[in-house]
Amino acid sequence: MPSICSPHLSLLFALPLVLLALLMASPSAQGAQDNQSSTLIDAAVPNQTRQAVVLSAVSSAPSVSIAPVVNPAEPSGIGSFVVSLSAMSATDTVVSLGIAGTAQNGVDYNGVDGQPLPATVTIPALTLERSVAIVPVADTLVEGDETIVINIQLNSGYQLGAHYQAQMLLLDVVLPSVSIAAVLNPAEPNRIGSFMVTMSATSTTDTVVALGIAGTAQNGFDYTGVDGQPLPATVTIPALTLQRSVAIVPIADTLTETDETINVSILLNSGYQLGATYQAQLLLFDVDRVSPGSTTSGTSGTAAVQTESKGGCGLSSGIGSLLLLSVLLVLRVRFAKP
């Protein structure tokens, strides 16, 4: 039987001991080694470089921009704006909106669902933009153009683009129409006449209506306004009201004149359009009479003047004839032969 050399015997006993030592190695020792490696890496990478890496990760988020497309307009012109991403996202992107301006969300305009514009808009995954409609709410007020201001609000899923605000106009393009009508003819010596100027819709501001005044009666000579001055070339309809009455005061004189005309026309202006009846004709009587004036249709352009009834004289002559007939009958009976 061969003999086992002493060195070989030592190796056989030492190998199991090495394996046992490796199996019983402490986990804390491994952790300490990892920490030592991390410390070595931290020492090798400067702090400025680590900050740049973090900023680069943040700046990789897409930017969001907004742009107006079409201004909305009363009564039914739908407007819109578009919200866009600089790069597609694999998931939906919810963009926060700030809505302001002189036009009121939910009062002057809504979304397509009839509700106020929401505070967020969602750009679907794998798309770059989303269009949002603005639907005006029609009313009878003349308000003028109003602003709609929409801002992109910062959120964690994106950064602000170069154009993060859009301003639009809610156009109030429907102008009210203005008409005129004679109310009462003036008459010397002291009966005050009048005409009425009327709008088809109220306005939130005063409406100045331009007038053209003509006729055979002379403004400021045969008649004036209530202030004793000639009738002015404009009449102001106060805000939130529909009409304004204008008085005509005759100037009494000792002349015997025929009835004279007063023609008042609505002149076109930027704040309104002409109504169907934009002219009125009144008569300035030289005696106190009781008929209203007449109006002129804007479609025909001809004056249909109402004449005053002069039936008082006919009534008096009729009563006189009846009395004369009664006297003749009495005389005939009295002197009739028996």
Side-chain angles (χ1 to χ4, degrees):
M1 181 175 182
S3 62
I4 299 176
C5 297
S6 173
H8 292 159
L9 182 61
S10 300
L11 181 61
L12 289 176
F13 282 106
L15 184 60
L17 293 175
V18 172
L19 293 175
L20 181 62
L22 289 175
L23 292 174
M24 296 180 64
S26 171
S28 60
Q30 182 66 35
Q33 184 178 1
D34 291 342
N35 290 336
Q36 183 178 7
S37 299
S38 177
T39 302
L40 291 174
I41 293 174
D42 288 344
V45 179
N47 186 49
Q48 292 86 347
T49 304
R50 290 198 303 274
Q51 291 178 352
V53 171
V54 173
L55 290 175
S56 176
V58 173
S59 63
S60 64
S63 61
V64 177
S65 300
I66 188 172
V69 178
V70 179
N71 285 321
E74 289 188 29
S76 58
I78 296 176
S80 65
F81 62 91
V82 64
V83 179
S84 58
L85 283 167
S86 61
M88 290 184 185
S89 173
T91 59
D92 293 348
T93 302
V94 180
V95 180
S96 299
L97 302 178
I99 303 173
T102 57
Q104 298 183 53
N105 186 17
V107 177
D108 297 308
Y109 61 91
N110 287 313
V112 290
D113 58 357
Q115 300 299 314
L117 285 183
T120 61
V121 57
T122 300
I123 301 177
L126 303 179
T127 60
L128 284 174
E129 62 183 27
R130 175 75 179 274
S131 180
V132 180
I134 299 177
V135 181
V137 177
D139 55 39
T140 58
L141 294 176
V142 179
E143 303 164 292
D145 298 341
E146 299 175 282
T147 59
I148 302 172
V149 181
I150 303 176
N151 296 284
I152 302 295
Q153 304 290 327
L154 193 58
N155 207 335
S156 59
Y158 55 84
Q159 57 181 331
L160 297 181
H163 303 286
Y164 58 86
Q165 184 182 83
Q167 179 167 316
M168 309 174 71
L169 286 177
L170 174 57
L171 303 176
D172 194 27
V173 296
V174 181
L175 295 176
S177 60
V178 177
S179 302
I180 190 172
V183 178
L184 182 65
N185 286 316
E188 292 185 24
N190 56 10
R191 192 180 75 181
I192 297 175
S194 65
F195 61 89
M196 185 76 73
V197 179
T198 304
M199 294 178 64
S200 61
T202 58
S203 172
T204 55
T205 59
D206 293 348
T207 302
V208 179
V209 179
L211 301 177
I213 302 173
T216 57
Q218 298 183 49
N219 186 17
F221 182 78
D222 293 311
Y223 62 91
T224 66
V226 290
D227 57 358
Q229 301 298 315
L231 285 182
T234 61
V235 58
T236 300
I237 300 178
L240 303 179
T241 60
L242 284 173
Q243 56 188 204
R244 175 76 179 273
S245 178
V246 180
I248 300 176
V249 181
I251 297 177
D253 56 38
T254 58
L255 298 175
T256 302
E257 303 170 291
T258 59
D259 298 340
E260 298 175 283
T261 59
I262 302 173
N263 298 325
V264 186
S265 303
I266 303 294
L267 302 180
L268 194 59
N269 206 340
S270 59
Y272 55 86
Q273 55 185 329
L274 297 181
T277 307
Y278 61 87
Q279 290 181 334
Q281 185 176 78
L282 298 97
L283 288 177
L284 173 57
F285 293 117
D286 198 35
V287 293
D288 191 15
R289 302 178 186 178
V290 292
S291 171
S294 63
T295 59
T296 300
S297 170
T299 54
S300 66
T302 59
V305 180
Q306 277 190 315
T307 58
E308 300 286 334
S309 172
K310 298 184 180 180
C313 183
L315 180 62
S316 298
S317 60
I319 294 175
S321 300
L322 183 60
L323 290 175
L324 179 60
L325 181 60
S326 300
V327 170
L328 290 176
L329 288 175
V330 170
L331 291 175
R332 183 177 179 181
V333 172
R334 183 170 182 180
F335 293 101
K337 292 183 181 180

